Amino acid sequence: DVKVTQSSRYLVKRTGEKVFLECVQDMDHENMFWYRQDPGLGLRLIYFSYDVKMKEKGDIPEGYSVSREKKERFSLILESASTNQTSMYLCASSSREVGVSPLHFGNGTRLTVT
Amino acid sequence: AQSVTQPDIHITVSEGASLELRCNYSYGATPYLFWYVQSPGQGLQLLLKYFSGDTLVQGIKGFEAEFKRSQSSFNLRKPSVHWSDAAEYFCATPQLTGGGNKLTFGTGTQLKVEL
């Protein structure tokens, strides 16, 4: 069974802090994703990566960056946290195969920026 | 670009009643479509997916969905809802890029089950 693990379940940070959200998957998946989830807005894609050291902007990349140095790990970085980045952050992974493969999600990190 | 719309934000049903959650898609060709469920405090879990072929798709937990091209819909159904089905449900469709796929999600439907 695919496991996607997010390092923190809850996180409280102060405005201006640099924040790292870590995600690890154990299924050798090529693709990894970071979404944020807000009530009434569903899931919005921040960044995704389809290979080591490769990244692409999603729909809402502003204020975020990512790092993928190893295939199994995908980090989301908030360079200078702001209160409007208070949200639930979900990491996901998928294999790359002909056609479309489903996403496997972690349990999320609820980030509060005060 | 492909997109999906979930017109119902909240739905309440009684336990044992039937359920239908709506999803409309916007895409010219035959789309790929997914339904995911998010239980409280959890990540999303895939319920079912449609790629092509039979328009009635069976999923896990007794759910099914029917692809209707004429209505641009992919509605999720369950004949008899259990209290444990209370969750948020998301319809999704991929946007294929050169490197892989990324999913675009609807805004979700929150299901409440009354005992």
Side-chain angles (χ1 to χ4, degrees):
Chain A
D1 218 15
V2 177
K3 192 164 185 182
V4 179
T5 304
Q6 295 183 230
S7 56
S8 302
R9 196 63 190 269
Y10 299 94
L11 214 50
V12 180
K13 297 292 182 181
R14 294 196 179 277
T15 301
E17 277 193 80
K18 189 169 186 175
V19 181
F20 293 85
L21 302 184
E22 306 288 345
C23 175
V24 177
Q25 51 96 359
D26 65 359
M27 281 300 291
D28 203 35
H29 281 169
E30 292 85 1
N31 301 328
M32 295 189 75
F33 307 82
W34 276 106
Y35 286 87
R36 66 175 281 175
Q37 181 179 14
D38 300 287
L41 298 177
L43 277 73
R44 293 178 292 166
L45 182 65
I46 305 171
Y47 267 97
F48 68 106
S49 167
Y50 52 85
D51 204 347
V52 176
K53 297 191 186 294
M54 304 299 287
K55 60 185 178 183
E56 283 197 28
K57 293 180 180 179
D59 302 316
I60 52 164
E62 296 78 19
Y64 303 94
S65 62
V66 290
S67 172
R68 193 163 181 205
E69 297 296 319
K70 294 185 178 181
K71 191 174 186 180
E72 67 271 20
R73 186 179 297 270
F74 192 37
S75 302
L76 179 70
I77 304 156
L78 287 65
E79 295 290 341
S80 177
S82 64
T83 54
N84 62 13
Q85 293 178 308
T86 291
S87 186
M88 170 70 86
Y89 290 87
L90 292 168
C91 176
S93 71
S94 74
S95 62
R96 186 192 309 147
E97 56 191 30
V98 175
V100 178
S101 59
L103 267 60
H104 300 268
F105 283 85
N107 285 338
T109 296
R110 185 167 293 282
L111 173 67
T112 301
V113 183
T114 61
Chain B
Q2 304 92 304
S3 65
V4 289
T5 303
Q6 294 179 251
D8 302 307
I9 299 173
H10 295 99
I11 282 187
T12 299
V13 299
S14 299
E15 189 175 37
S18 63
L19 171 70
E20 183 167 27
L21 301 182
R22 296 186 290 166
C23 173
N24 298 110
Y25 68 88
S26 171
Y27 189 62
T30 299
Y32 296 159
L33 293 162
F34 299 82
W35 274 102
Y36 283 82
V37 60
Q38 185 180 31
S39 298
Q42 304 292 317
L44 278 71
Q45 180 185 20
L46 179 68
L47 280 176
L48 48 79
K49 59 187 178 184
Y50 173 77
F51 288 171
S52 64
D54 194 348
T55 56
L56 186 62
V57 181
Q58 301 297 321
I60 63 171
K61 304 177 187 255
F63 285 91
E64 65 179 25
E66 187 170 12
F67 174 73
K68 292 185 177 179
R69 182 184 299 280
S70 61
Q71 298 177 18
S72 297
S73 69
F74 186 59
N75 294 348
L76 183 70
R77 303 194 296 241
K78 188 169 185 178
S80 178
V81 170
H82 188 261
W83 64 267
S84 59
D85 293 324
E88 190 158 22
Y89 292 80
F90 293 92
C91 183
T93 191
Q95 295 190 29
L96 300 178
T97 70
N101 60 301
K102 56 176 185 175
L103 278 188
T104 295
F105 288 85
T107 51
T109 298
Q110 187 74 47
L111 174 65
K112 181 180 176 182
V113 179
E114 289 184 332
L115 300 176

